[in-house]
């Protein structure tokens, strides 16, 4: 009843004395007591307490009862809890997906326990008399972003030929993913692998360029010239070893044995046959690193899953840039000049035209490809579909048998490849299996045919005209900002930025490009919501917190407690270009510490004036608030809001987890505002009701809550004039300050003359000492 419960724990992980303390105020402070109350769980400083205990526990989140990670427990998969969790006999069991509820009666719980339990047998490799000649490989699905969770690991996606190495009695054989024997093409790799004991290994043969990055064109050249001695066989899975079928084992065990196996090779052989390490960090971060290194992407795999031939749920791929296998149906040019390829993808019995490939043809590539094309002449077009090109003297039809690998920027409204570039021919996949591949969410099993947004009639007409005349360059090439192609670049986001000229989507992207590093410094690692206005700020606006279908891989995701859906985050400048592409006009990050949403990272005080308050009064309020904060040891910074008020911001130094909570930060901010309002009730108020705001300034402390946001420094505002939230030096905070002068058009030039917030990080201070000083009652 007094709001305190003390107890002791003696478990596998938690020990010692603890206390649950009810917070002084309920959530509904007005009524002094609502139905929901806030509690703090505190560890007493006894012999079992040590610094960093919480973080260490979170780093080892495996259940003592079942050995499962939190992700598996949430999904209801894996082993069931041990009998001791039921409090019953040693023969009692719970289901894997059982959930304990504190309000469930004992009889109800017993009914749950009576349900049949599916026991998981521990997988054991089977002994085989001889190795199979070939094992159908496990395949991947393309997803729009890497999956999250502790059960997923991530590997580099190699741009080469998938190959299976079989070694028996010292004889090595290399087979493609369709089982074709290519040992003769890669003799040096076969020789290096022949030193291995009997085994079947899954991997990829790759050519590396001068930067040690996979290069598909170099691989093609090596095969064409018969110079394969410098190719590398990157191995990532072990299917059979020493007469054991290892496919039933989890990936973690298979890879461990593979690493040991490869490690026993001679040094020269290990230069050719290389083990592929994996990463356990967040998939989004790994993908971003892969893209920065100009790699094709990553493959994510379930570390606890067995090896399953065919296309399943356990392996997915995420790409930095669109890649597609296509079937060549024609080429454009003269007999000795290759200008572009006309390509398609299978849909049932039909070859649907998907566009032209107009770039990527070096002289060496053209020299290798043209003889193959001339040898496959056909009398008529193999393509079907509404956009299929009509013949002319420059188009040469070919039998649809050659498969090309291309990379491209995306799909047009009519399902055409956009800005496709030729990488090389593929010999390891038959043309009849080539289908258009579109990214899906990691949870979906199917890869649907291209599904694109509807386009206007004018755009469709232009695209059709371009595709029917593949030799001509399109006149409406989309501009590229930081690697992001801008559709509708001339669409006005604001009709006027104070200079009589509209601010277009392209202008917005260029603004983000210029000021991006300064913005990222304040939003990186934090959940960040967007205000989007696809048709400009004056039309419909909506607030986006979570990822949507088609969200760019340049935007990251972060999970927060209390919400199953991950939040958006923006950790790199290129992500801001992706924000501009989807008409993201405002950035609203959380005010947490980077990468730790549950810990306050800054306090924001929003000075929101009533309609009849002069701006000079807001300036005076900001200075007064600055004095209050400095009096208790904090450092204050000021910025415009892009509207009619000002923000006063104080950065917080990271403290030990649990030392300062969001409720404590919010109570502290309110206390500051309460005292300011008590000193000058005719100037300030803490009641947010607009009816009471007449002639006074609302001291808004409400942004200092865990899931609350505030507009980021230098973020544009979806308001008239294309204003931005501008960081200021305190000497600039004076009478005559006009927030409307800071716009998307003017901010960059003004920043070049200012060092505002240059020492922001140095101004971070711990909050707990300030709370203690305020409790002692500093004078105003």
């Amino acid at each position: 009843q007094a709001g305190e419960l003390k107890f002791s724990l003696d478990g596998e992980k938690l020990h010692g004395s603890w206390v649950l303390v009810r917070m002084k105020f309920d959530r509904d402070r007005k009524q002094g007591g609502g139905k929901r109350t806030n509690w703090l769980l505190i560890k007493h400083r006894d012999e079992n307490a040590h610094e960093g205990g919480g973080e260490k526990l979170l780093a080892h989140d495996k259940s003592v009862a079942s050995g499962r990670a939190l992700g598996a427990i949430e999904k209801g998969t894996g082993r069931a809890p041990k009998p001791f969790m039921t409090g019953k006999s040693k023969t009692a069991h719970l289901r894997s997906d059982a959930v304990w509820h504190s309000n469930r009666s004992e009889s109800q719980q017993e009914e749950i326990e009576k349900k049949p339990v599916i026991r998981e047998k521990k997988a054991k490799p089977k002994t085989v008399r001889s190795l199979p000649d070939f094992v159908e490989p496990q395949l991947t699905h393309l997803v729009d972003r890497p999956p999250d969770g502790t059960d997923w690991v991530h590997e580099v996606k190699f741009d080469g030929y998938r190959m299976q190495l079989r070694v028996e009695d010292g004889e090595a054989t290399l087979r493609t993913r369709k089982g074709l024997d290519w040992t003769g093409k890669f003799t040096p790799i076969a020789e290096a692998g022949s030193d291995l004991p009997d085994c079947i290994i899954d991997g990829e043969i790759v050519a590396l360029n001068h930067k040690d990055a996979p290069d598909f064109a170099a691989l093609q050249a090596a095969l064409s010239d018969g110079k394969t001695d410098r190719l590398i066989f990157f191995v990532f899975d072990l299917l059979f070893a020493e007469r054991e079928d290892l496919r039933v084992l989890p990936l973690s065990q298979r890879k461990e044995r593979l690493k040991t196996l490869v490690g026993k090779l001679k040094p020269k052989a290990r230069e050719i046959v290389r083990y592929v390490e994996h990463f356990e960090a967040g998939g989004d971060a790994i993908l971003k690193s892969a893209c920065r290194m100009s790699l094709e992407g990553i493959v994510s795999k379930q570390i606890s899953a067995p090896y399953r031939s065919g296309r399943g749920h356990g392996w997915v791929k995420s790409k930095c840039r669109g890649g597609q296998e296509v079937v060549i149906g024609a080429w454009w040019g003269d007999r000795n000049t290759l200008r572009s390829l006309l390509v398609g993808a299978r849909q049932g019995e039909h070859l649907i035209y998907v566009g032209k490939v107009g770039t990527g043809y070096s002289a060496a590539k053209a020299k290798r490809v043209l003889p193959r094309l001339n040898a496959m002449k056909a009398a008529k077009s193999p393509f079907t579909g509404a956009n299929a090109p009509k013949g002319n003297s420059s188009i040469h039809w070919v039998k649809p048998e050659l498969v090309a690998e291309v990379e491209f920027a995306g799909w047009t409204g009519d399902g055409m490849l956009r800005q496709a570039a030729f990488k090389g021919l593929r010999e390891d996949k038959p043309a009849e299996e080539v289908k258009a591949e579109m990214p899906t969410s990691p949870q979906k099993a199917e890869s649907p045919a291209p599904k694109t947004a509807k386009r206007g009639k004018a755009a469709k007409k232009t695209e059709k005209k371009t595709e029917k005349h593949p030799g001509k360059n399109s006149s409406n090439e989309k501009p590229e900002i930081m690697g992001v192609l801008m559709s509708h670049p001339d669409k006005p986001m604001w009709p006027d930025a104070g200079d009589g000229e509209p601010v277009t989507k392209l202008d917005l992207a260029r603004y983000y490009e210029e000021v991006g590093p300064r913005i990222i410094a304040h939003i990186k690692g934090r959940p960040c919501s967007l205000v989007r206005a696809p048709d400009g700020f004056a039309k419909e606006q909506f607030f986006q917190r979570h990822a949507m279908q088609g969200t760019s891989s340049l935007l990251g995701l972060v999970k927060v407690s209390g919400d199953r859906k991950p939040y958006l985050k923006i950790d790199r400048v290129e992500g801001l270009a992706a924000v501009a592409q989807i008409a993201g006009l405002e950035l609203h990050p959380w005010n947490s510490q980077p990468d730790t949403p549950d810990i306050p990272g800054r306090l924001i005080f929003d000075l929101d004036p009533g309609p009849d308050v002069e701006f000079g009064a807001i300036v005076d309020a900001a200075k007064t608030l600055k004095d209050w904060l400095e009096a208790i040891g904090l450092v204050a910074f000021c910025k415009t809001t892009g509207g009619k008020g000002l923000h006063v911001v104080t950065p917080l130094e990271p403290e030990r987890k649990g030392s300062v909570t969001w409720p404590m930060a919010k109570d502290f901010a309110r206390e500051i505002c309460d005292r300011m309002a008590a000193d000058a009730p005719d100037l300030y108020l803490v009641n947010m009701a607009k009816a009471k705001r007449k002639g006074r300034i609302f001291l808004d402390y409400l942004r200092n809550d865990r899931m609350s946001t505030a507009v980021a420094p230098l973020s544009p505002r979806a308001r008239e004039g294309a204003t931005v939230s501008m960081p200021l030096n305190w000497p600039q905070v004076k009478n005559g300050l006009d927030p409307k002068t800071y716009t998307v058009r003017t901010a960059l030039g003004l920043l070049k003359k200012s060092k505002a917030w240059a020492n922001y990080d140095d101004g971070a201070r711990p909050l707990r000492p300030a709370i203690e000083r305020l409790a002692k009652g500093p004078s105003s």
Side-chain angles (χ1 to χ4, degrees), residues 398-434:
V398 299
K399 298 175 184 177
E401 297 177 6
L402 289 178
V403 177
E405 177 87 8
V406 301
E407 66 176 15
F408 63 108
W411 298 94
T412 69
D414 287 343
M416 298 289 107
L417 295 171
R418 184 158 53 83
Q419 296 185 7
F422 178 74
K423 295 175 66 177
L425 295 177
R426 294 208 73 106
E427 308 286 353
D428 58 336
K429 188 169 185 178
E432 58 269 18
E433 293 187 6
V434 174

Side-chain angles (χ1 to χ4, degrees), residues 231-539:
L231 300 181
I232 307 298
F233 185 38
F234 286 99
V235 297
F236 44 70
D237 214 325
L238 181 62
L239 314 187
F240 287 81
E242 298 171 345
R243 305 298 175 183
E244 283 187 324
D245 184 351
L246 307 182
R247 291 174 294 174
V248 296
L249 296 178
L251 176 63
S252 56
Q253 294 183 31
R254 301 197 309 271
K255 289 202 69 173
E256 186 177 346
R257 290 187 61 167
L258 176 62
K259 188 174 184 179
T260 302
L261 204 66
V262 174
K264 294 179 179 179
L265 285 172
K266 296 177 181 178
K268 188 175 181 180
R270 287 204 305 270
E271 285 295 311
I272 299 174
V273 180
R274 300 185 188 179
Y275 171 77
V276 176
E277 297 284 356
H278 59 261
F279 303 90
E280 297 180 359
D284 284 318
I286 301 301
L287 179 60
K288 290 171 187 173
S289 297
C291 296
R292 282 196 295 268
M293 296 169 65
S294 299
L295 299 175
E296 188 181 8
I298 63 173
V299 175
S300 304
K301 302 177 180 179
Q302 285 185 300
I303 194 68
S304 62
Y307 189 94
R308 298 186 177 97
S309 296
R311 213 174 291 276
H313 298 276
W315 292 12
V316 296
K317 60 185 175 184
S318 315
K319 293 186 177 182
C320 299
R321 181 172 166 85
Q324 177 71 44
E325 292 159 354
V326 291
V327 178
I328 302 172
W331 59 284
W332 187 85
D334 56 42
R335 184 174 180 82
N336 299 312
T337 306
L338 174 60
R339 299 192 183 279
S340 61
L341 294 173
L342 280 64
V343 299
R346 289 288 175 189
Q347 193 173 87
E349 297 297 320
H350 302 286
L351 183 66
I352 304 299
Y353 179 66
V354 296
K356 69 181 181 71
V357 183
T359 61
Y361 307 108
S362 64
K365 284 183 185 179
K367 186 178 179 180
R368 287 193 295 269
V369 174
L370 271 172
R372 302 285 299 277
L373 295 173
N374 282 314
M376 291 191 172
K377 285 183 180 180
K380 60 180 182 179
S381 170
F383 297 116
T384 60
N387 294 323
K390 296 179 180 179
N392 59 48
S393 59
S394 297
I395 292 181
H396 309 275
W397 307 117
V398 299
K399 298 175 184 177
E401 297 177 6
L402 289 178
V403 177
E405 177 87 8
V406 301
E407 66 176 15
F408 63 108
W411 298 94
T412 69
D414 287 343
M416 298 289 107
L417 295 171
R418 184 158 53 83
Q419 296 185 7
F422 178 74
K423 295 175 66 177
L425 295 177
R426 294 208 73 106
E427 308 286 353
D428 58 336
K429 188 169 185 178
E432 58 269 18
E433 293 187 6
V434 174
K435 298 179 181 180
E437 188 177 40
M438 290 289 286
T440 64
S441 67
Q443 291 76 25
K444 293 182 180 179
E446 297 297 325
S447 289
K451 183 179 179 182
T452 54
K454 293 182 178 180
R455 301 287 303 278
K457 291 182 179 180
K460 289 183 178 180
K461 185 176 180 181
T462 301
E463 287 163 358
K464 287 182 180 180
K465 182 178 179 181
T466 301
E467 297 303 332
K468 289 181 179 180
H469 300 281
K472 296 182 179 180
N473 290 325
S474 171
S475 61
N476 61 343
E477 286 287 325
K478 295 179 176 65
E480 184 175 308
I481 304 295
M482 294 187 285
V484 176
L485 292 162
M486 309 303 299
S487 62
H488 308 295
D490 297 328
K491 178 179 284 188
M493 296 290 99
W494 294 267
D496 183 6
D499 55 1
E501 295 292 329
V503 178
T504 66
K505 184 193 284 189
L506 181 59
D507 293 331
L508 174 64
R510 286 173 174 160
Y511 170 78
Y512 278 143
E513 182 179 27
E514 294 288 348
V515 304
R518 298 196 188 198
I519 295 178
I520 292 297
H522 297 284
I523 68 176
K524 184 176 182 180
R526 301 172 173 93
C528 186
S529 302
L530 309 176
V531 174
R532 292 176 55 187
D535 295 313
F537 93 93
K539 300 290 180 66

Side-chain angles (χ1 to χ4, degrees), residues 60-273:
H60 303 285
D61 68 342
K62 295 292 180 67
S63 165
V64 175
S66 63
R68 296 177 294 170
L70 291 176
I73 295 172
E74 183 180 2
K75 295 176 183 176
T77 60
R79 299 176 182 173
K82 295 176 183 177
F84 77 84
M85 295 297 289
T86 66
K88 302 285 184 179
S89 69
K90 291 184 178 181
T91 59
H93 293 281
L94 285 179
R95 296 165 59 93
S96 296
D97 58 353
V99 177
W100 179 79
H101 297 276
S102 60
N103 60 352
R104 180 182 289 156
S105 68
E106 187 171 343
S107 61
Q108 289 174 318
Q109 182 63 41
E110 288 177 351
E111 286 299 315
I112 295 294
E113 294 173 10
K114 290 177 183 178
K115 292 183 179 180
V117 178
I118 300 175
R119 295 177 177 272
E120 292 188 359
K121 295 182 179 179
K122 191 174 182 180
K124 292 183 178 180
K126 293 182 179 179
T127 302
V128 296
R129 292 184 178 181
S130 62
L131 300 179
D133 289 336
F134 176 71
V135 176
E136 182 186 354
Q138 182 162 348
L139 303 176
T140 62
H141 279 295
L142 179 64
V143 294
D144 52 6
R145 63 190 322 113
D148 291 325
T150 56
D151 195 39
W152 289 92
V153 295
H154 313 279
E155 299 172 352
V156 168
K157 186 180 186 306
F158 294 100
D159 197 3
Y161 280 138
R162 182 80 174 270
M163 207 64 57
Q164 193 172 107
L165 172 66
R166 179 184 185 275
V167 182
E168 189 168 34
D169 297 329
E171 183 177 347
T173 306
L174 290 162
R175 294 186 182 274
T176 69
R177 57 184 174 182
K178 299 303 295 182
L180 300 177
D181 190 337
W182 277 22
T183 309
K185 294 177 182 285
F186 303 111
T187 304
I189 293 174
E191 291 176 350
S194 63
D195 289 338
L196 291 167
D198 292 359
C199 62
I200 294 181
I201 295 176
D202 198 353
E204 189 117 352
I205 293 180
V206 173
L208 301 179
N209 61 20
H210 65 285
K211 294 182 180 179
D212 282 338
D215 188 329
F216 188 74
L219 176 60
Q220 288 277 290
L223 276 172
S224 178
D225 299 337
K227 298 178 180 179
T228 59
D229 55 310
R230 300 185 66 180
L231 300 181
I232 307 298
F233 185 38
F234 286 99
V235 297
F236 44 70
D237 214 325
L238 181 62
L239 314 187
F240 287 81
E242 298 171 345
R243 305 298 175 183
E244 283 187 324
D245 184 351
L246 307 182
R247 291 174 294 174
V248 296
L249 296 178
L251 176 63
S252 56
Q253 294 183 31
R254 301 197 309 271
K255 289 202 69 173
E256 186 177 346
R257 290 187 61 167
L258 176 62
K259 188 174 184 179
T260 302
L261 204 66
V262 174
K264 294 179 179 179
L265 285 172
K266 296 177 181 178
K268 188 175 181 180
R270 287 204 305 270
E271 285 295 311
I272 299 174
V273 180

Side-chain angles (χ1 to χ4, degrees), residues 674-689:
D674 280 342
R675 296 195 186 191
M676 269 188 67
D679 281 354
D682 56 329
L683 298 178
Y684 313 124
L685 79 161
V686 185
N687 190 316
M688 67 184 300

